[in-house]
C-alpha cells in the first residue's frame, strides 16, 4: 500500500466512496435477482480503487466517459444513490429520466458524459471532449475508462493517434480485470497493453488497481501534467471483478475457478486493504469505519425504497430527447 501523505478527510472520503460503490452494487444485484429491475447490469464490485483513485484526482469540471460496467465511475464522480437507483428502475427521477438505465447512465452535473454499452464506444467521445477543451482554451481533463477487452477495438488506435498528434488533455484508463467477458485477457490480447499506447509516443503506466492510494497518487500527477498540456497519458490498472460478466453470469467455473475468486476477495480486496491501512496508521478505528459502513448501507436502503415507489415517466415523454436530422 502506498504511504499515506494526505489529510484524514481525504482518506476517509476515499474509503466512503469505495464502500458506497460496493454497497450500491450489492443492492443493484439484489434488485435484479428479485426481478424488480428490468434488463441486465454489470457489477463493478472489486474494482472500486480504480474509479475512486482516479476520480478523487478530478474536479467537477473534469470529464469522464464510462462503460457498460459503469456504476462505480458514476458514484466516484459524485452521483447520488436516489437518482441512480431511479435510473436503474426506469423512473422519471433518474439521471436520464429512466431512459438510460444501467448501461447508459450519465450525470452531466458532475462531468460524467455517460456510460456506453458498446465496448470501447466512448473512446471517441472522451477524445472529442479533450479536443473541445484544447480548442476552447479550457483547463479541464477528460478520463476515458474502458476494459481490457476494448483494446481490441480499432477506435482506440484512431483516437490515441489523434490525441498524441494534438497533445490532448485526455487520460486513457484501461481497467484490466483479467477477463474479456468469459475469456482470459491473456488469450485475447497479444503482447503488452501499455506498449500499444507507447507505439503512438504516449507515456503509459501499469499499476496495481487494488491500491487506491497508489492509483490516486499517479492520477494526480498525470492530471496535473495533462492540464499543463503534457498529455495524453495511458494507464493500465490491474484489478478484478468479483461477479460474472453480468448479473446473470452466475456459474463461472467453466472459465475461472472459485479458488481464484477466493484469493482476490480475501487477499487483494481494495476496501479491506485500505481499511487495514487506515487503522494501522491511526487515521480511523474499526468502530469508526463500521459506523461509516452502516451509514452508507442505511442511505442505500432508503434510496432503493424511494426508487421503488417513485413514478415512471409519463407516456407523453416517449419522444422527448429524440432528435431527427
Amino acid at each position: 500500500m502506498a504511504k499515506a501523505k494526505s489529510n484524514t478527510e481525504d482518506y476517509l472520503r476515499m474509503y466512503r466512496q469505495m464502500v458506497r460503490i460496493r454497497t450500491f452494487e450489492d443492492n443493484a444485484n439484489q434488485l435484479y435477482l428479485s426481478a424488480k429491475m428490468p434488463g441486465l447490469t454489470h457489477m463493478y464490485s472489486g474494482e472500486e480503487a480504480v474509479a475512486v483513485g482516479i476520480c478523487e484526482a478530478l474536479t467537477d469540471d473534469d470529464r469522464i466517459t464510462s462503460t457498460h460496467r459503469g456504476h462505480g465511475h458514476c458514484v466516484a464522480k459524485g452521483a447520488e444513490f436516489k437518482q441512480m437507483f431511479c435510473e436503474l428502475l426506469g423512473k422519471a427521477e433518474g439521471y436520464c429520466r429512466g431512459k438510460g438505465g444501467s448501461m447508459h447512465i450519465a450525470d452531466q452535473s458532475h462531468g460524467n458524459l455517460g456510460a456506453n454499452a458498446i465496448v470501447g464506444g466512448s473512446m471517441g467521445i472522451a477524445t472529442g471532449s479533450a479536443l473541445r477543451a484544447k480548442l476552447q482554451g479550457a483547463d479541464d481533463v477528460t478520463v476515458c475508462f474502458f476494459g481490457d477487452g476494448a483494446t481490441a477495438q480499432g477506435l482506440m488506435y484512431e483516437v490515441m493517434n489523434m490525441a498524441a498528434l494534438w497533445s490532448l488533455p485526455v487520460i486513457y484508463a484501461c481497467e484490466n480485470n483479467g477477463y474479456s467477458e468469459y475469456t482470459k485477457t491473456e488469450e485475447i490480447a497479444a503482447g503488452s497493453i501499455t506498449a500499444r499506447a507507447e507505439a503512438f509516443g504516449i507515456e503509459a503506466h501499469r499499476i496495481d488497481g487494488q491500491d487506491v492510494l497508489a492509483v490516486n497518487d499517479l492520477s494526480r500527477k498525470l492530471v496535473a501534467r495533462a492540464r499543463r498540456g503534457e498529455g495524453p497519458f495511458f494507464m493500465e490498472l490491474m484489478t478484478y471483478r468479483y461477479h460474472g460478466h453480468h448479473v446473470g453470469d452466475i456459474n463461472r467455473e467453466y472459465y475461472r475457478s472459485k479458488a481464484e475468486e477466493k484469493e482476490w476477495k480475501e487477499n487483494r480486496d481494495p476496501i479491506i486493504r485500505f481499511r487495514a491501512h487506515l487503522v494501522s496508521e491511526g487515521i480511523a478505528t474499526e468502530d469508526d469505519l463500521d459506523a461509516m459502513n452502516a451509514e452508507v448501507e442505511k442511505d442505500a436502503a432508503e434510496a432503493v425504497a424511494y426508487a421503488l415507489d417513485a413514478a415512471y415517466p409519463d407516456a407523453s415523454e416517449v419522444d422527448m430527447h429524440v432528435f431527427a436530422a
Side-chain angles (χ1 to χ4, degrees):
M1 180 68 67
K3 180 65 178 175
K5 65 180 187 308
S6 222
N7 61 44
T8 296
E9 184 180 343
D10 291 337
Y11 290 139
L12 292 181
R13 186 176 61 251
M14 283 195 278
Y15 177 81
R16 177 186 288 272
Q17 285 292 69
M18 287 201 290
V19 171
R20 290 183 75 240
I21 293 171
R22 182 72 58 87
T23 305
F24 182 89
E25 295 296 58
D26 288 345
N27 280 270
N29 190 41
Q30 286 304 311
L31 285 171
Y32 171 80
L33 294 175
S34 61
K36 294 176 182 176
M37 184 179 71
L40 286 178
T41 189
H42 304 73
M43 300 287 97
Y44 196 77
S45 300
E47 304 183 24
E48 293 88 354
V50 174
V52 173
I54 291 176
C55 289
E56 281 293 314
L58 304 175
T59 69
D60 263 1
D61 290 330
D62 293 320
R63 272 69 161 180
I64 67 167
T65 59
S66 186
T67 72
H68 59 279
R69 198 179 308 284
H71 302 161
H73 311 138
C74 200
V75 172
K77 200 62 170 68
E80 298 295 334
F81 278 171
K82 280 186 179 179
Q83 291 95 316
M84 286 189 69
F85 281 120
C86 280
E87 187 60 37
L88 264 60
L89 294 172
K91 302 302 181 72
E93 291 181 63
Y95 276 108
C96 304
R97 299 196 62 76
K99 301 175 182 180
S102 172
M103 287 187 279
H104 298 92
I105 195 168
D107 176 16
Q108 302 288 341
S109 65
H110 292 105
N112 181 355
L113 300 180
N116 202 307
I118 300 172
V119 175
S122 68
M123 292 174 173
I125 298 170
T127 307
S129 172
L131 176 60
R132 181 268 317 148
K134 183 163 187 176
L135 292 175
Q136 290 180 342
D139 70 347
D140 60 275
V141 174
T142 302
V143 174
C144 177
F145 288 102
F146 56 95
D148 48 283
T151 61
Q153 297 297 319
L155 178 61
M156 172 179 165
Y157 304 98
E158 294 175 6
V159 298
M160 283 200 303
N161 185 59
M162 295 179 194
L165 285 171
W166 300 333
S167 300
L168 300 183
V170 59
I171 297 172
Y172 299 102
C174 175
E175 299 177 298
N176 187 343
N177 61 27
Y179 290 87
S180 176
E181 291 194 332
Y182 318 106
T183 307
K184 287 186 177 182
T185 303
E186 61 199 44
E187 296 176 11
I188 61 97
S192 163
I193 287 178
T194 52
R196 301 179 183 201
E198 292 168 344
F200 294 96
I202 296 175
E203 182 180 318
H205 300 263
R206 192 174 196 244
I207 191 168
D208 180 4
Q210 305 304 86
D211 183 342
V212 69
L213 293 184
V215 173
N216 184 250
D217 182 62
L218 176 60
S219 298
R220 288 186 183 280
K221 291 174 181 175
L222 297 184
V223 168
R225 291 176 60 192
R227 288 199 207 285
R228 296 196 298 264
E230 299 176 24
F233 298 103
F234 187 100
M235 301 168 67
E236 181 186 10
L237 303 112
M238 310 309 292
T239 185
Y240 196 78
R241 57 169 164 84
Y242 290 168
H243 292 266
H245 170 56
H246 55 76
V247 282
D249 176 19
I250 297 173
N251 300 313
R252 298 181 290 278
E253 287 188 87
Y254 71 95
Y255 71 89
R256 75 181 198 190
S257 69
K258 288 185 177 179
E260 177 184 293
E261 293 183 358
K262 185 173 184 286
E263 165 65 22
W264 279 86
K265 290 179 180 179
E266 292 185 356
N267 299 316
R268 301 194 63 182
D269 182 90
I271 298 176
I272 293 174
R273 289 178 67 183
F274 193 40
R275 180 184 176 116
H277 179 73
L278 294 176
V279 173
S280 68
E281 292 292 315
I283 296 171
T285 66
E286 295 283 1
D287 287 344
D288 292 334
L289 300 178
D290 284 342
M292 187 181 294
N293 288 9
E295 182 182 342
V296 171
E297 289 173 5
K298 180 175 180 289
D299 289 345
E302 291 176 351
V304 168
Y306 182 91
L308 286 170
D309 289 338
Y312 289 102
D314 187 79
S316 64
E317 291 190 21
V318 69
D319 59 355
M320 182 185 292
H321 305 128
V322 177
F323 299 93

XYZ file of all heavy atoms in Angstrom, residues 178-227:
381
model
N -8.741 -8.869 -15.996
C -8.318 -10.238 -16.261
C -9.168 -11.013 -17.235
O -8.758 -12.079 -17.706
N -10.351 -10.473 -17.560
C -11.257 -11.212 -18.439
C -11.961 -10.292 -19.419
O -12.419 -9.209 -19.062
C -12.318 -11.967 -17.616
C -11.726 -13.117 -16.835
C -11.188 -12.901 -15.573
C -11.652 -14.395 -17.371
C -10.607 -13.932 -14.852
C -11.074 -15.435 -16.664
C -10.550 -15.201 -15.409
O -9.963 -16.227 -14.706
N -12.063 -10.745 -20.648
C -12.881 -10.093 -21.649
C -14.136 -10.953 -21.779
O -14.106 -12.007 -22.420
C -12.132 -10.022 -22.988
O -12.945 -9.465 -23.987
N -15.173 -10.544 -21.109
C -16.387 -11.344 -20.944
C -16.048 -12.686 -20.282
O -15.853 -12.743 -19.082
C -17.110 -11.532 -22.285
C -17.726 -10.255 -22.819
C -18.699 -10.503 -23.950
O -18.548 -11.512 -24.675
O -19.608 -9.679 -24.111
N -15.926 -13.771 -21.067
C -15.708 -15.098 -20.494
C -14.348 -15.684 -20.894
O -14.110 -16.876 -20.739
C -16.820 -16.048 -20.956
C -18.192 -15.416 -20.932
C -18.832 -15.033 -22.106
C -18.841 -15.175 -19.715
C -20.085 -14.424 -22.072
C -20.083 -14.568 -19.680
C -20.702 -14.201 -20.860
O -21.931 -13.597 -20.824
N -13.466 -14.828 -21.400
C -12.167 -15.297 -21.878
C -11.047 -14.537 -21.175
O -11.111 -13.320 -21.027
C -12.038 -15.077 -23.404
O -13.168 -15.673 -24.054
C -10.763 -15.709 -23.938
N -10.018 -15.253 -20.746
C -8.900 -14.611 -20.086
C -8.238 -13.605 -21.015
O -8.062 -13.855 -22.207
C -7.870 -15.658 -19.645
C -8.319 -16.499 -18.461
C -7.202 -17.416 -17.991
C -7.646 -18.201 -16.756
N -6.559 -19.069 -16.254
N -7.861 -12.467 -20.455
C -7.244 -11.397 -21.235
C -6.030 -11.898 -21.999
O -5.813 -11.549 -23.161
C -6.833 -10.229 -20.314
O -7.989 -9.777 -19.613
C -6.232 -9.090 -21.107
N -5.227 -12.736 -21.358
C -4.002 -13.236 -21.995
C -4.287 -14.074 -23.237
O -3.408 -14.274 -24.077
C -3.193 -14.066 -20.993
C -3.930 -15.288 -20.482
C -3.354 -15.850 -19.198
O -3.037 -15.051 -18.292
O -3.228 -17.090 -19.110
N -5.536 -14.530 -23.387
C -5.902 -15.336 -24.554
C -6.455 -14.492 -25.701
O -6.635 -15.004 -26.809
C -6.934 -16.394 -24.150
C -6.400 -17.409 -23.142
C -7.471 -18.393 -22.689
O -8.559 -18.414 -23.313
O -7.227 -19.134 -21.728
N -6.713 -13.206 -25.432
C -7.264 -12.350 -26.493
C -6.419 -11.115 -26.776
O -6.656 -10.420 -27.757
C -8.723 -11.926 -26.179
C -8.810 -11.127 -24.871
C -9.649 -13.130 -26.102
C -8.818 -9.645 -25.023
N -5.443 -10.842 -25.884
C -4.617 -9.648 -26.062
C -3.151 -10.053 -26.193
O -2.506 -10.419 -25.211
C -4.800 -8.690 -24.890
N -2.628 -9.992 -27.409
C -1.235 -10.357 -27.643
C -0.306 -9.225 -27.217
O -0.606 -8.054 -27.424
C -1.019 -10.676 -29.128
N 0.803 -9.588 -26.610
C 1.796 -8.583 -26.247
C 1.370 -7.726 -25.075
O 0.467 -8.074 -24.315
N 2.034 -6.595 -24.927
C 1.798 -5.687 -23.809
C 0.731 -4.652 -24.165
O 0.777 -4.051 -25.240
C 3.101 -4.974 -23.444
O 2.865 -3.843 -22.654
N -0.205 -4.432 -23.251
C -1.246 -3.432 -23.485
C -0.661 -2.024 -23.433
O -1.015 -1.164 -24.253
C -2.393 -3.601 -22.464
C -3.203 -4.860 -22.820
C -3.309 -2.381 -22.452
C -4.346 -5.170 -21.872
N 0.241 -1.771 -22.504
C 0.832 -0.436 -22.422
C 1.667 -0.118 -23.655
O 1.755 1.041 -24.077
C 1.705 -0.288 -21.165
O 2.639 -1.365 -21.118
C 0.856 -0.290 -19.904
N 2.249 -1.154 -24.261
C 3.069 -0.930 -25.453
C 2.243 -0.401 -26.610
O 2.766 0.278 -27.502
C 3.771 -2.223 -25.866
N 0.958 -0.677 -26.588
C 0.083 -0.202 -27.666
C -0.028 1.317 -27.628
O -0.079 1.972 -28.672
C -1.293 -0.857 -27.541
C -1.211 -2.378 -27.601
C -2.555 -3.049 -27.465
N -2.387 -4.497 -27.449
C -3.337 -5.371 -27.726
N -4.545 -4.926 -28.051
N -3.112 -6.665 -27.692
N -0.061 1.878 -26.432
C -0.088 3.338 -26.302
C 1.286 3.915 -26.611
O 1.408 4.960 -27.273
C -0.519 3.729 -24.894
N 2.321 3.243 -26.156
C 3.688 3.727 -26.366
C 4.047 3.787 -27.839
O 4.890 4.599 -28.251
C 4.672 2.839 -25.605
C 4.538 2.982 -24.090
C 5.284 1.909 -23.307
O 5.650 0.882 -23.925
O 5.488 2.089 -22.098
N 3.382 2.972 -28.637
C 3.636 2.981 -30.081
C 3.276 4.333 -30.701
O 3.804 4.701 -31.756
C 2.849 1.877 -30.771
N 2.384 5.086 -30.023
C 1.999 6.414 -30.506
C 2.778 7.509 -29.783
O 2.465 8.697 -29.927
C 0.496 6.630 -30.301
C -0.364 5.718 -31.136
C -0.862 4.536 -30.611
C -0.657 6.036 -32.457
C -1.643 3.685 -31.375
C -1.446 5.186 -33.230
C -1.932 4.007 -32.693
N 3.765 7.125 -28.995
C 4.531 8.107 -28.238
C 3.822 8.575 -26.985
O 4.169 9.614 -26.418
N 2.814 7.797 -26.542
C 2.045 8.156 -25.348
C 2.687 7.514 -24.122
O 2.928 6.299 -24.101
C 0.580 7.703 -25.481
C -0.108 8.446 -26.638
C -0.184 7.931 -24.181
C -1.524 7.971 -26.920
N 2.942 8.316 -23.109
C 3.506 7.795 -21.864
C 2.487 6.868 -21.204
O 1.336 7.244 -21.001
C 3.859 8.952 -20.933
C 4.503 8.542 -19.623
C 4.829 9.730 -18.749
O 5.328 10.755 -19.288
O 4.575 9.656 -17.532
N 2.913 5.659 -20.863
C 1.991 4.661 -20.324
C 2.503 4.100 -19.003
O 3.710 3.938 -18.806
C 1.789 3.534 -21.329
N 1.564 3.798 -18.098
C 1.904 3.270 -16.784
C 1.053 2.047 -16.478
O -0.134 2.012 -16.787
C 1.650 4.325 -15.695
C 2.439 5.578 -15.865
N 3.621 5.802 -15.207
C 2.218 6.678 -16.638
C 4.096 6.984 -15.552
N 3.264 7.545 -16.415
N 1.659 1.045 -15.842
C 0.936 -0.139 -15.363
C 0.975 -0.111 -13.842
O 2.051 0.049 -13.251
C 1.591 -1.410 -15.889
C 0.778 -2.680 -15.710
C 1.497 -3.832 -16.405
N 0.659 -4.984 -16.618
C 0.876 -6.183 -16.051
N 1.909 -6.352 -15.249
N 0.081 -7.193 -16.316
N -0.179 -0.249 -13.193
C -0.238 -0.051 -11.745
C -1.225 -1.024 -11.101
O -2.148 -1.524 -11.753
C -0.622 1.418 -11.439
C -0.428 1.752 -9.969
C -2.040 1.712 -11.900
C -0.516 3.234 -9.665
N -1.021 -1.284 -9.815
C -1.916 -2.132 -9.034
C -3.235 -1.398 -8.825
O -3.313 -0.427 -8.073
C -1.266 -2.454 -7.683
C -2.136 -3.341 -6.798
O -3.221 -3.772 -7.252
O -1.735 -3.603 -5.642
N -4.268 -1.868 -9.472
C -5.574 -1.223 -9.383
C -6.322 -1.520 -8.097
O -7.439 -1.040 -7.914
N -5.724 -2.309 -7.201
C -6.353 -2.599 -5.907
C -5.823 -1.687 -4.803
O -6.267 -1.770 -3.668
C -6.114 -4.068 -5.521
C -6.570 -5.085 -6.566
C -8.026 -4.954 -6.940
O -8.401 -4.172 -7.811
N -8.868 -5.723 -6.276
N -4.875 -0.832 -5.127
C -4.256 0.082 -4.165
C -4.744 1.501 -4.461
O -4.221 2.179 -5.346
C -2.736 -0.014 -4.280
C -1.991 0.843 -3.269
O -2.605 1.762 -2.698
O -0.788 0.596 -3.059
N -5.753 1.957 -3.720
C -6.383 3.243 -4.027
C -5.409 4.406 -3.883
O -5.479 5.377 -4.642
C -7.645 3.454 -3.157
C -7.296 3.659 -1.697
C -8.479 4.619 -3.687
N -4.485 4.330 -2.936
C -3.542 5.426 -2.755
C -2.545 5.497 -3.903
O -2.185 6.592 -4.354
C -2.815 5.289 -1.415
C -3.679 5.465 -0.164
C -2.810 5.396 1.092
C -4.451 6.770 -0.197
N -2.097 4.347 -4.365
C -1.168 4.335 -5.494
C -1.852 4.857 -6.753
O -1.267 5.632 -7.518
C -0.632 2.922 -5.725
N -3.099 4.437 -6.964
C -3.859 4.901 -8.126
C -4.074 6.407 -8.044
O -3.895 7.140 -9.024
C -5.221 4.173 -8.233
C -6.076 4.786 -9.337
C -5.018 2.688 -8.489
N -4.437 6.889 -6.869
C -4.697 8.316 -6.693
C -3.428 9.143 -6.870
O -3.451 10.212 -7.484
C -5.312 8.567 -5.316
C -5.691 10.012 -5.093
O -5.070 10.711 -4.293
N -6.697 10.488 -5.804
N -2.315 8.650 -6.342
C -1.050 9.379 -6.459
C -0.652 9.545 -7.923
O -0.320 10.644 -8.373
C 0.042 8.638 -5.691
C 1.371 9.373 -5.728
O 1.450 10.509 -5.234
O 2.345 8.804 -6.272
N -0.707 8.453 -8.678
C -0.361 8.530 -10.100
C -1.355 9.406 -10.848
O -0.965 10.223 -11.696
C -0.325 7.125 -10.708
C -0.067 7.054 -12.219
C 1.277 7.675 -12.588
C -0.148 5.601 -12.714
N -2.637 9.263 -10.534
C -3.672 10.031 -11.226
C -3.480 11.526 -11.018
O -3.603 12.320 -11.964
C -5.062 9.614 -10.751
O -5.310 8.248 -11.034
N -3.203 11.939 -9.798
C -2.999 13.358 -9.520
C -1.830 13.913 -10.334
O -1.907 15.029 -10.874
C -2.764 13.576 -8.022
C -4.014 13.392 -7.183
C -3.794 13.748 -5.718
N -5.002 13.495 -4.940
C -6.055 14.307 -4.885
N -6.030 15.451 -5.565
N -7.109 13.992 -4.182
N -0.771 13.155 -10.429
C 0.393 13.614 -11.191
C 0.063 13.740 -12.677
O 0.411 14.735 -13.323
C 1.558 12.637 -10.992
C 2.127 12.656 -9.577
C 3.175 11.565 -9.389
C 3.727 11.573 -7.963
N 4.663 10.444 -7.728
N -0.643 12.737 -13.228
C -0.954 12.758 -14.658
C -1.993 13.830 -14.984
O -1.907 14.485 -16.031
C -1.435 11.380 -15.117
C -0.418 10.244 -15.000
C -0.997 8.957 -15.584
C 0.900 10.587 -15.686
N -2.979 14.010 -14.105
C -3.999 15.040 -14.337
C -3.340 16.420 -14.348
O -3.633 17.260 -15.213
C -5.112 14.962 -13.271
C -6.004 16.203 -13.320
C -5.952 13.709 -13.475
N -2.457 16.661 -13.405
C -1.776 17.964 -13.340
C -0.948 18.198 -14.598
O -0.936 19.309 -15.160
C -0.888 18.024 -12.102
N -0.277 17.171 -15.067
C 0.530 17.310 -16.282
C -0.355 17.503 -17.512
O -0.026 18.289 -18.414
C 1.428 16.085 -16.442
C 2.535 16.005 -15.397
C 3.334 14.732 -15.541
N 3.962 14.658 -16.849
C 4.532 13.544 -17.341
N 4.525 12.431 -16.622
N 5.089 13.552 -18.529
N -1.494 16.801 -17.548
C -2.416 16.961 -18.683
C -2.951 18.390 -18.742
O -3.118 18.965 -19.823
C -3.567 15.963 -18.575
N -3.213 18.994 -17.571
C -3.681 20.384 -17.533
C -2.625 21.330 -18.110
O -2.960 22.374 -18.662
C -3.981 20.800 -16.097
C -5.203 20.186 -15.497
C -5.666 20.982 -14.285
N -6.381 20.130 -13.348
C -7.619 19.689 -13.536
N -8.280 20.027 -14.634
N -8.197 18.915 -12.635
